[in-house]
Amino acid sequence: MEKFFTHDERIGILIPNFQQTLELYDLETQYAILYRWEQIRGAIPERISKLEAEINEKQARLNAEVNLQKSNQLNWQIAELASIIIDLHIWYRFHSDHLHHPVKMDT
């Protein structure tokens, strides 16, 4: 089943990646794809929670940081984590009915 999904290193989840519409697969494969996608989607809130905790930790460090270079680095890291969270929210909202169209990610 994993051949229909690609691991996105940046956001840390599997994302859909197949060439044809879902209807072109046999019913058993369609159900398996949809089931796997719902499993992946179900894990996204936990992933977001972990990233939010990481942001909170970095924010606390930033609040105490006096070195400008380290502050800038922490700000960049916080912004990157926030960007990942936004992407995860988008994928979380990517419902199964969207899988009825070809999904090919250019990574």
Side-chain angles (χ1 to χ4, degrees), residues 18-82:
F18 44 92
Q19 301 292 324
Q20 60 188 20
T21 62
L22 193 61
E23 291 85 6
L24 295 178
Y25 295 107
D26 62 80
L27 280 178
E28 184 177 333
T29 302
Q30 289 180 41
Y31 291 138
I33 290 170
L34 294 173
Y35 180 76
R36 183 66 180 120
W37 176 242
E38 289 307 317
Q39 288 178 316
I40 294 165
R41 280 187 68 237
I44 291 175
E46 178 66 26
R47 174 93 175 106
I48 289 171
S49 292
K50 289 178 181 179
L51 293 171
E52 287 172 340
E54 194 173 337
I55 286 174
N56 290 337
E57 180 269 325
K58 289 182 184 299
Q59 186 66 48
R61 287 177 40 207
L62 177 62
N63 290 340
E65 187 56 63
V66 293
N67 180 295
L68 181 61
Q69 185 176 4
K70 289 181 182 179
S71 292
N72 289 340
Q73 183 179 17
L74 285 167
N75 267 323
W76 182 88
Q77 291 170 353
I78 290 167
E80 179 60 21
L81 291 170

